[in-house]
Amino acid sequence: MPSATPLRKSSDPAAGKLFEFQAQLPKLPVPTLSETLPKYLRTVEPLLSKEAYAQTKQVVEEFARSSQGQELQRRLEARAAEPGRPNWLEEWWNDLSYMGYRDPVVPYVSYFYAYKDDKLRRKPTQRAAAIVRAAWEFRRQVGSRELAPETTKAGALCSYSYNYMFNATRIPKKPSDIEATYDLATNEHIAVVRNNQFYALPLVHNGQLLSAAEIEAQLDRIVEQADSTAAVPVGVLTSDNRDLWTDNYRLLSEASPKNAATLERLQSAAFLVCLDDARPVTREEYHRVFWHGNGRNRWFDKSLQFIVCDNGKAGFLGEHSSMDGTPTCRLNDYILDQTLHGKVDLGSSTVRSDLPAPEALRFVTPPAVVRAIEQAGQRFDKVVEQHQLRVLQYEGFGKDEIKRLGFSPDGFVQMAIQLGYYKLYGKSRATYEAAATRAFAHGRTETCRSVSSESVAFCEQFETTTASAEAKLSALQAAVKAHGTYAKMCSEGKGVDRHLLGLRLSLRPGEEKPKIFQDVAYTESSHWYLSTSQLSSEHFEGWGFSEVVPDGYGVAYTIRKDAVILHIAAMKNEFGLNSDHLAHYIKEAATEMRAVVLACKLKEAAAKPKL
């Protein structure tokens, strides 16, 4: 098994600039019942009939008055106050949402970024080499703690998850997986996979970092060697159900002593570079390559995978369990800023003649392992086939235009998604938007509930034939304002979902579950028919993830200065979902929203007296 090294404590005074504010970060708060329960009622009301809401209101009020509700709150507050516990939610959330989650990490957990093309580097190994050099510099800054901590107007953000960025991997285990990290100083190699075959590539030779030209030469050697032979696609084992992968991980490890050493070498790598023979052209094609690929030329448990295709298209795949999107967005934005704008230090153009050949990481695969690989591949292919995808690049506006119209870009796009869904289904349903809580120690996310009474009223106004443009604009403004207010509360640790989860998990074995958690509103309002999130970079051609329920959509969006790119994923199943249709109606909604705002502005301008 890999020998994971202990992480530095986040409050370590010697931790350097990256952690300079860490000890000052507040703990994630536990809201009071009087804060959360009325707020909860406001979020469920637009999703329920009047009769169902009256019943839910009674259940919630009973819970607020009950001794059980008070006791669960007391327990949660006591947990939050425990010395040495930086975050009351951390262990529960990591296990429930990630390590204990047993469905395949791809397509259900991991996320990807699609890169803009690099017109300076059309050759795939040349582009990969530049990406490696830029990523290695970022890694150096993380390892030395020189990297500046992220900050907002409100203050510093937690840097703890940077511990899991490089030289890290998820490892399958029952009932919950574990995360292993390796010493950066003693593991100065990357892993490379081509044609389903893995290699270890040391990036330091005779004390000197390999130049981009040398990395390119070494990658060329890997491509030539891998393309001349065939291998059993061991990597597809990582695509499987986590319990099945746990069993097969043991089977693979015990098949030969060599396999355990090979796993250690692969898992301890700084990151994985996937050199794909695919040549995707359309947005849907390259989004699929970076989202899941063929499942074979990957090791889905690695924290970072950089993917470069034979036509130079490139992207990134992130393992989500120990690190959310904002740190990796920063990493990838840095890499692309460096490589696309000629900033990356490529080193010498001379290739040293004494570079050792890349180390082939070959697994021993007896018949039992081969059968397991074949079966895992069949399951992966079936899961991928069950998914549909549409990528919408909307060029009617971007961040700059939305701001000129007087709106928050995120709130405006969220309402376009709401109205698009309403047009398709004639109703609003529970919507998840990820809100970061990294202003708190070890903070991750809270659920921003995008559906509000105001958002429903906005959808109704836009779909009626009698509403004036002014009435529609007023409804849109109210909906975006309500969204922004709730999103701010979430970032301040004052959302409802994590608090309610904490109360529920504070129950002890054998205790009766409160009616609030048995009520239809609790189930319906957290069944995410729309799971959405925004991560934006001018260097991205979109990003994406999957749906979280079989009858729902996963909508990842990037808001660039001049465009909005939406990745809309869903399953092909008995629920009759249609990503193409949702994309059509989101586009229609966005166009109508812009037209209404502009019409009102023109009318207002015309009404002003001329000088």
Side-chain angles (χ1 to χ4, degrees), residues 38-47 407 411-412 414-416 418-419 422 428-429 448-463 471-487 489 593:
K39 197 181 302 176
Y40 171 66
L41 284 173
R42 289 196 296 273
T43 69
V44 301
E45 185 174 11
L47 301 172
F407 291 91
F412 199 81
Q414 275 288 322
M415 290 310 114
Q418 286 298 312
L419 181 54
Y422 191 92
S428 297
R429 288 194 175 109
C448 178
R449 294 184 167 212
S450 297
V451 176
S452 63
S453 295
E454 291 85 353
S455 75
V456 173
F458 147 72
C459 291
E460 291 171 347
Q461 285 280 12
F462 265 73
E463 283 300 279
K472 290 180 178 181
L473 175 60
S474 178
L476 172 59
Q477 290 169 332
V480 172
K481 181 179 179 181
H483 173 268
T485 299
Y486 195 83
M489 288 190 288
M593 289 162 60

Side-chain angles (χ1 to χ4, degrees), residues 43-250:
T43 69
V44 301
E45 185 174 11
L47 301 172
L48 302 174
S49 67
K50 289 183 178 179
E51 295 76 15
Y53 177 72
Q55 175 63 30
T56 293
K57 189 170 185 289
Q58 180 179 340
V59 167
V60 170
E61 290 173 347
E62 288 175 357
F63 180 74
R65 295 191 300 266
S66 70
S67 58
Q68 186 181 34
Q70 301 299 323
E71 173 59 19
L72 292 177
Q73 178 72 8
R74 185 199 65 78
R75 292 177 190 173
L76 189 55
E77 290 173 352
R79 176 183 173 90
E82 289 175 5
R85 184 185 294 281
N87 187 304
W88 63 263
L89 178 64
E90 180 179 27
E91 293 174 8
W92 281 340
W93 184 252
N94 289 351
D95 184 68
L96 186 67
S97 295
Y98 298 110
M99 295 304 187
Y101 184 76
R102 308 321 284 166
D103 281 344
V105 293
V106 170
Y108 297 116
V109 180
S110 297
Y111 59 93
F112 75 89
Y113 306 137
Y115 290 175
K116 279 189 172 180
D117 289 343
D118 187 344
K119 295 182 179 179
L120 299 173
R121 301 172 185 88
R122 301 291 189 179
K123 182 185 173 189
T125 53
Q126 183 187 25
R127 183 168 198 190
I131 289 170
V132 169
R133 283 282 298 200
W136 201 260
E137 170 56 22
F138 196 92
R139 176 185 180 273
R140 185 195 66 77
Q141 294 181 35
V142 170
S144 67
R145 304 322 197 210
E146 294 173 32
L147 187 70
E150 294 165 272
T151 59
T152 67
K153 293 179 181 178
L157 300 182
C158 181
S159 296
Y160 180 71
S161 62
Y162 282 92
N163 287 303
Y164 298 100
M165 183 172 279
F166 295 100
N167 299 85
T169 191
R170 179 171 173 161
I171 295 177
K173 190 176 181 180
K174 296 179 184 179
S176 292
D177 294 353
I178 60 172
E179 187 80 14
T181 59
Y182 301 81
D183 181 52
L184 273 64
T186 55
N187 291 284
E188 295 185 315
H189 65 285
I190 64 171
V192 182
V193 60
R194 171 73 178 191
N195 195 23
N196 312 329
Q197 298 164 63
F198 294 94
Y199 295 80
L201 176 55
L203 285 194
V204 178
H205 177 60
N206 291 336
Q208 182 180 341
L209 178 65
L210 268 64
S211 68
E214 290 175 326
I215 296 169
E216 180 185 345
Q218 294 289 64
L219 295 177
D220 285 338
R221 296 171 76 174
I222 288 172
V223 170
E224 182 180 5
Q225 181 177 330
D227 285 359
S228 65
T229 58
V232 177
V234 178
V236 78
L237 291 173
T238 66
S239 74
D240 217 344
N241 169 279
R242 303 307 293 181
D243 284 343
L244 293 174
W245 174 213
T246 300
D247 294 339
N248 288 328
Y249 185 88
R250 184 180 302 109

